[in-house]
Amino acid sequence: MKNNNYKQLEADLKNNLFDQDYAIETLIKTFLQTNILKTKNNVAHIYTFIGAPSCGKHYLCELIEKYSSDSKEIKTFYMDQYNIDTLKFNIKSFTDDIIEFCKNNPKALLVFEDIEKADLQIQLAIYSLFSDYEKTDIDFSNIILVVTTTLLSSLLQRKDFKNMLREDPLQAHTFLMEKLANEKLEIVGGQEEALDKKLLSLLNEHTIIPFNKLSLKALIKIGDQSLQSMTKEFTKETKVKIEYEEYDAFISLITLSLAPYINARHIKQKIPKLIFNHIYEALKIKENTKSIVYSVSEKAKKFLNGVFENEHLFITQTTKQHKRVNLEWEITALNGSVKCQIKNAFYVQEKISIASHEDIHISDISFDDIAGHKKAKKELSEIITLLKSPEKLKRFELDIPKGMILCGPSGMGKKLLARAFAKEADMPYIVINGSDLFTQKNIHTAYAKAYSSAPLIIIFEDIDIQGIINGMISTMSLEPVIEELDNLHQSYDSPIFTILTLNNCSSLPHELIQANRINIHIEVAKLDMEARRFFIKDVLKKPHSKNIDIERVVRYISGMSGNELKRIGQEASLYAARKGLKELTEEILLEQVNIIKYGSKLENKQIRDIEKSMAKTAYHEAGHAVLSYVLLPNVKIEQVTVAPRSESLGFVSYHSEEYVDATSKEELFNDVCVLLAGRVAKMKKFGEDGFETGAVSDLEAATMQVYAAIALFGMDEELGYINISGLDLGGSSPIFQDKIEERMLVWLEKAKKHTEDEVKRLWNAIEAVAQELIKKEVIDGEELKEIIESS
């Protein structure tokens, strides 16, 4: 073929195959090179077409056969028919078929479609036939050989690979061949190479051509061809005229409605059927119809414009968020014509989700959707800036960080923050959690997919979760993660970022936080007041009384996790529905808070002499509350209650806001006095009748506090600055044991005396609080303050 003919061939190919200019130009360049340099090989040309399914690989082969004088016939071997699973192939008959065809068609194009699906012996047979190193009597000198594969198709979309392909095609070729050599297929009992090594060596000597994933515009052009062909045939057969108003918008919406299965092959098959179904419905409405007119409303066109303005969002919603485009039609008959209008177009969620741990997701949660956590969100935003602006890292000769650990109490929002991080960073993510954490294969598969689809985030949720491994309770093995991190070479253009969530910040796995692994750790603290207020306002979107004091409820829910706060609304609503109530009240909400925190109320019949028991509990809890209010003013009281629950007969609860500070000797001593105040107040009121077992937990806590003060914190005047926790006692008589016991008794006696003096001094307040508790069962912190100060 002459050089000017190659120019015409290139133009013909580009006119018929969309979005594959690079593939076509590479093909023509190889044709020219062989023609000009008179290259002599066993085969005229050998190409490896690599790309996603239905992106035009086979269609390009058909176009070569159609427009090129170098090829007169085409034969396709579908390689999924030649593997162990089918049990249909015979190597000799396979090679005989090829030889026979080539003898009869010396200028032909052979296509081996999806080569990775063939048995390795078949792949070796192809190598043996066409390699220059193997002797053969068959003349393949005018045969064009095309091997197609979908392996690594996701990798071709990576920004860093596209840059490499543009700047250094030879390096891109080497890179792809190395990656193909490492590709594995899952088989029964393990894995095997996807491609035969000898065949790979043959392909490496020739041309590898990557194909682009088709853009929306290219797919719409394919839809246009299909619709035009169908319309022409239908009009010819039926004599019914079909007209299209706003044709471009119409074919665009019809094509988009096929998502997420929107590829060339699917479009060619489905668009004729889709339009025919509408024509059939139109003809049923009015017999003897002479014309059908298709149009698009302004509302539907507005939706379409939004898709074109953000094509990335459309792909995200349809492929990652399991949504599809729904078209709303309106059909009207007028005289001899039927008008079919696309009245509206909108996204709808797929009803059945088939998501798995291997799925790539796109987050729809942003930092703005998460209340509170200002400090954590600020730190996360700084990391996102580094991912989006790597020049800040290059300045200090740093690589892209490999990941981070989010640690903090369960239910405080670590998983939500991880997903919000993915959205803010504009990166898709894979999640591995639950039992999947314990399977090494899942971890390797996730990183393999991440490498092909980067930029991408891999989220490991709750890596300290326990499971049963080989019959023993254990946490997940971090070795597979460490192996992947050590082998990971980051790219500024296409980073892979690992996020691990952990409940206990004091047990960061040291093997993970070494240099060049995970060097970012962010603590996700308990929910602050802003976050708690957000949750309660969300609950109050349900029917509720206008008299609910939001701030009071917010004070009550301190220390609760996000999951517990969600339960409040659900369980309070369920309670109201069961009782036939029309709205939520403050009483209902607070009761659900207490049930979640402290257990359900006990029935009166479960308690012997309920009135006397409640009176004793009232004085007990009043003693705690009043002395706590006076001696520990920095510790805010949430509520005091004598309502008996499964967890206790009564209690004083505190706001669990974060106070990061050391405790003084005076504060620790006062805390012991508060713990003793319950028994002391009860005995002052009821004498020996108040000497009961109900103080057991108070006494245990007080004793431990005193022991810690003396033996660990070095607060005792006689023993001085000691801490015995690091001493090796060796099974003999512990050092300082007798002295510690002696000093503990002194401390406890001193605390008892001080408590008795304070109870006596504050008795009026204790009496007032106890009487109010007997009347109301519950007093919140603000009411407590008023009672004490007025007494």
Side-chain angles (χ1 to χ4, degrees):
M1 186 184 288
K2 296 180 180 179
N3 292 351
N4 59 342
N5 290 338
Y6 283 123
K7 289 183 180 179
Q8 183 59 48
L9 175 61
E10 181 176 344
D12 289 337
L13 296 179
K14 286 183 176 179
N15 285 336
N16 287 275
L17 182 62
F18 309 125
D19 273 4
Q20 303 301 350
D21 286 2
Y22 178 86
I24 293 169
E25 289 165 8
T26 305
L27 180 84
I28 298 299
K29 189 189 302 179
T30 311
F31 278 166
L32 275 169
Q33 177 184 322
T34 305
N35 185 41
I36 293 172
L37 300 180
K38 307 299 181 185
T39 307
K40 292 294 182 182
N41 291 310
N42 193 22
V43 184
H45 302 282
I46 299 179
Y47 297 103
T48 303
F49 289 180
I50 180 170
S54 302
C55 65
K57 300 188 296 296
H58 193 278
Y59 187 46
L60 179 55
C61 296
E62 294 173 1
L63 293 173
I64 294 169
E65 189 265 339
K66 180 178 179 181
Y67 291 105
S68 172
S69 60
D70 290 347
S71 179
K72 299 297 185 183
E73 295 290 338
I74 183 170
K75 184 173 178 64
T76 302
F77 293 87
Y78 298 98
M79 303 312 290
D80 57 352
Q81 299 177 17
Y82 300 95
N83 59 49
I84 291 294
D85 294 334
T86 61
L87 297 175
K88 292 179 181 178
F89 72 87
N90 176 284
I91 294 176
K92 187 174 185 310
S93 64
F94 172 72
T95 55
D96 287 346
D97 285 349
I98 294 173
I99 292 169
E100 185 67 22
F101 178 79
C102 292
K103 280 182 178 179
N104 297 329
N105 304 278
K107 291 185 72 172
L109 191 153
L110 295 181
V111 183
F112 298 100
E113 186 156 316
D114 295 334
I115 188 69
E116 72 276 9
K117 297 179 180 178
D119 185 81
L120 292 178
Q121 293 299 312
I122 287 288
Q123 296 181 27
L124 182 59
I126 296 172
Y127 166 83
S128 299
L129 274 176
F130 299 109
S131 169
D132 290 341
Y133 305 104
E134 301 289 335
K135 292 182 179 180
T136 177
D137 297 328
I138 312 302
D139 181 13
F140 295 126
S141 59
N142 291 309
I143 296 294
I144 298 174
L145 179 66
V146 175
V147 170
T148 78
T149 179
T150 57
L151 293 173
L152 307 180
S153 56
S154 296
L155 185 145
L156 305 183
Q157 311 310 315
R158 284 178 51 156
K159 185 177 178 181
D160 52 354
F161 176 77
K162 288 182 176 180
N163 290 339
M164 184 195 300
L165 191 65
R166 182 175 60 253
E167 296 166 6
D168 193 343
L170 184 59
Q171 183 188 358
H173 173 101
T174 304
F175 174 77
L176 285 175
M177 295 310 300
E178 288 176 351
K179 295 299 293 180
L180 285 172
N182 291 323
E183 283 295 288
K184 301 284 191 299
L185 295 178
E186 298 295 330
I187 60 172
V188 177
Q191 295 180 324
E192 72 172 16
E193 307 291 337
L195 299 175
D196 175 73
K197 297 296 184 187
K198 286 191 173 182
L199 178 61
L200 269 175
S201 68
L202 175 62
L203 301 180
N204 187 40
E205 294 170 8
H206 296 271
T207 307
I208 185 167
I209 301 181
F211 279 64
N212 294 319
K213 191 173 181 181
L214 296 179
S215 67
L216 276 185
K217 289 183 178 178
L219 293 167
I220 290 167
K221 285 181 181 179
I222 295 169
D224 168 41
Q225 290 179 338
S226 181
L227 181 59
Q228 294 280 17
S229 175
M230 177 267 168
T231 303
K232 185 177 179 181
E233 287 297 320
F234 183 84
T235 301
K236 180 180 177 183
E237 291 294 326
T238 65
K239 310 304 180 186
V240 175
K241 186 178 180 183
I242 299 179
E243 299 177 36
Y244 299 99
E245 298 175 357
E246 305 284 351
Y247 178 80
D248 290 344
F250 180 79
I251 186 56
S252 297
L253 287 168
I254 291 293
T255 305
L256 296 183
S257 71
L258 300 178
Y261 310 107
I262 185 168
N263 57 56
R265 189 171 301 163
H266 193 67
I267 289 170
K268 289 176 181 178
Q269 291 175 347
K270 292 295 181 182
I271 282 185
K273 293 180 181 178
L274 182 63
I275 298 301
F276 181 81
N277 288 340
H278 281 288
I279 292 174
Y280 179 73
E281 292 297 321
L283 293 176
K284 280 201 311 183
I285 289 177
K286 186 172 183 59
E287 296 181 2
N288 302 319
T289 297
K290 295 179 180 179
S291 69
I292 301 174
V293 180
Y294 285 95
S295 63
V296 179
S297 73
E298 290 299 321
K299 193 172 185 181
K301 282 193 283 186
K302 186 176 180 181
F303 171 85
L304 181 64
N305 292 335
V307 171
F308 286 142
E309 286 171 6
N310 195 340
E311 183 175 325
H312 176 70
L313 179 62
F314 168 78
I315 294 170
T316 294
Q317 298 221 353
T318 55
T319 61
K320 304 295 191 302
Q321 295 182 331
H322 308 289
K323 293 182 180 179
R324 59 184 177 83
V325 175
N326 193 53
L327 302 182
E328 181 183 334
W329 292 82
E330 183 177 73
I331 303 177
T332 56
L334 183 65
N335 299 326
S337 177
V338 174
K339 186 167 185 178
C340 302
Q341 184 182 60
I342 300 178
K343 190 176 180 182
N344 194 10
F346 49 90
Y347 290 113
V348 292
Q349 189 73 44
E350 293 284 2
K351 293 181 180 178
I352 300 177
S353 174
I354 54 172
S356 74
H357 67 272
E358 295 183 1
D359 280 349
I360 296 177
H361 306 275
I362 299 293
S363 175
D364 56 1
I365 297 171
S366 68
F367 286 152
D368 291 339
D369 298 320
I370 302 174
H373 295 307
K374 285 185 179 178
K375 182 174 181 291
K377 287 192 285 192
K378 181 176 182 294
E379 292 176 332
L380 292 172
S381 296
E382 291 169 352
I383 299 164
I384 290 168
T385 301
L386 295 181
L387 294 176
K388 289 185 171 182
S389 307
E391 62 274 5
K392 295 185 178 182
L393 294 166
K394 293 177 184 177
R395 179 182 178 87
F396 293 96
E397 299 180 349
L398 293 171
D399 291 328
I400 291 283
K402 292 182 177 180
M404 67 181 171
I405 296 176
L406 296 178
C407 64
S410 177
M412 295 302 168
K414 298 186 295 296
K415 297 170 189 175
L416 282 177
L417 285 170
R419 284 161 171 74
F421 179 92
K423 180 174 177 62
E424 302 286 348
D426 195 24
M427 293 170 69
Y429 66 92
I430 294 174
V431 175
I432 301 181
N433 53 26
S435 60
D436 291 328
L437 291 167
F438 296 87
T439 305
Q440 184 171 335
K441 176 188 166 187
N442 292 337
I443 294 170
H444 289 314
T445 300
Y447 277 97
K449 184 164 284 192
Y451 195 84
S452 294
S453 306
L456 190 133
I457 295 171
I458 302 175
I459 302 174
F460 293 93
E461 293 183 342
D462 298 330
I463 61 170
D464 48 354
I465 189 176
Q466 291 190 324
I468 298 178
I469 305 175
N470 298 325
M472 298 182 63
I473 296 177
S474 177
T475 53
M476 71 171 285
S477 169
L478 294 173
E479 283 303 316
V481 180
I482 291 169
E483 180 184 339
E484 296 293 344
L485 290 172
D486 288 346
N487 293 331
L488 182 62
H489 297 285
Q490 285 287 50
S491 158
Y492 289 113
D493 292 324
S494 302
I496 296 169
F497 197 76
T498 301
I499 300 178
L500 305 102
T501 71
L502 180 72
N503 290 328
N504 189 351
C505 290
S506 64
S507 62
L508 291 174
H510 65 88
E511 61 267 48
L512 268 182
I513 58 178
Q514 295 178 15
N516 295 321
R517 288 179 185 166
I518 302 294
N519 46 19
I520 302 171
H521 322 124
I522 294 178
E523 184 173 351
V524 180
K526 291 181 180 179
L527 298 178
D528 55 24
M529 188 167 283
E530 178 189 344
R532 300 201 306 271
R533 190 178 292 111
F534 170 84
F535 273 98
I536 292 304
K537 286 183 176 178
D538 190 58
V539 170
L540 296 183
K541 290 178 183 176
K542 303 174 185 293
H544 66 279
S545 167
K546 294 180 180 178
N547 297 325
I548 292 178
D549 183 345
I550 293 178
E551 297 308 310
R552 184 183 185 206
V553 178
V554 168
R555 292 196 300 272
Y556 266 69
I557 60 177
S558 64
M560 298 181 78
S561 70
N563 290 333
E564 289 173 329
L565 294 177
K566 286 180 182 177
R567 283 179 56 196
I568 294 172
Q570 293 168 350
E571 294 179 18
S573 300
L574 185 59
Y575 175 86
R578 281 167 45 206
K579 299 297 183 183
L581 304 176
K582 293 183 178 179
E583 60 184 18
L584 299 178
T585 64
E586 187 172 307
E587 272 187 13
I588 293 173
L589 289 177
L590 295 182
E591 177 58 21
Q592 293 306 318
V593 171
N594 282 331
I595 288 173
I596 293 169
K597 273 189 168 185
Y598 311 112
S600 299
K601 276 187 180 181
L602 298 178
E603 295 181 23
N604 290 347
K605 63 183 180 181
Q606 293 176 272
I607 303 171
R608 182 180 55 199
D609 196 352
I610 181 64
E611 290 187 6
K612 186 175 182 181
S613 174
M614 187 172 288
K616 288 181 177 180
T617 303
Y619 279 89
H620 182 107
E621 300 305 335
H624 285 316
V626 173
L627 263 70
S628 178
Y629 180 85
V630 174
L631 299 181
L632 301 172
N634 291 328
V635 182
K636 303 303 179 185
I637 294 173
E638 175 186 89
Q639 65 171 316
V640 189
T641 178
V642 293
R645 297 184 178 274
S646 54
E647 300 295 325
S648 66
L649 292 178
F651 55 84
V652 179
S653 64
Y654 299 88
H655 292 296
S656 58
E657 305 291 354
E658 296 277 324
Y659 292 105
V660 182
D661 201 357
T663 302
S664 69
K665 178 181 177 181
E666 180 184 8
E667 287 172 328
L668 193 148
F669 180 79
N670 285 340
D671 194 28
V672 174
C673 293
V674 171
L675 288 165
L676 299 180
R679 171 172 277 187
V680 171
K682 193 193 297 185
M683 290 187 67
K684 177 171 174 57
K685 179 66 178 179
F686 299 99
E688 287 298 314
D689 200 23
F691 206 175
E692 296 179 329
T693 61
V696 59
S697 59
D698 298 336
L699 298 177
E700 178 184 6
T703 305
M704 289 301 298
Q705 290 268 52
V706 169
Y707 175 82
I710 297 168
L712 303 179
F713 303 143
M715 289 180 172
D716 185 66
E717 294 174 0
E718 290 194 16
L719 279 174
Y721 301 168
I722 67 165
N723 180 304
I724 69 168
S725 60
L727 299 178
D728 183 6
L729 305 180
S732 59
S733 179
I735 300 172
F736 299 126
Q737 177 180 303
D738 293 341
K739 192 65 177 174
I740 287 172
E741 290 177 359
E742 176 187 325
R743 295 304 300 165
M744 282 179 68
L745 292 174
V746 171
W747 272 62
L748 286 168
E749 182 59 30
K750 183 179 178 182
K752 176 189 170 188
K753 180 68 172 64
H754 185 67
T755 303
E756 289 172 343
D757 290 344
E758 287 298 297
V759 166
K760 183 177 180 180
R761 182 175 73 87
L762 300 167
W763 186 248
N764 287 343
I766 293 172
E767 278 271 18
V769 171
Q771 291 302 316
E772 194 70 13
L773 282 170
I774 292 170
K775 279 197 303 184
K776 297 177 62 175
E777 287 193 357
V778 180
I779 300 174
D780 75 6
E782 293 300 314
E783 291 176 292
L784 178 71
K785 177 182 177 182
E786 291 177 11
I787 294 169
I788 292 174
E789 292 186 356
S790 64
S791 303

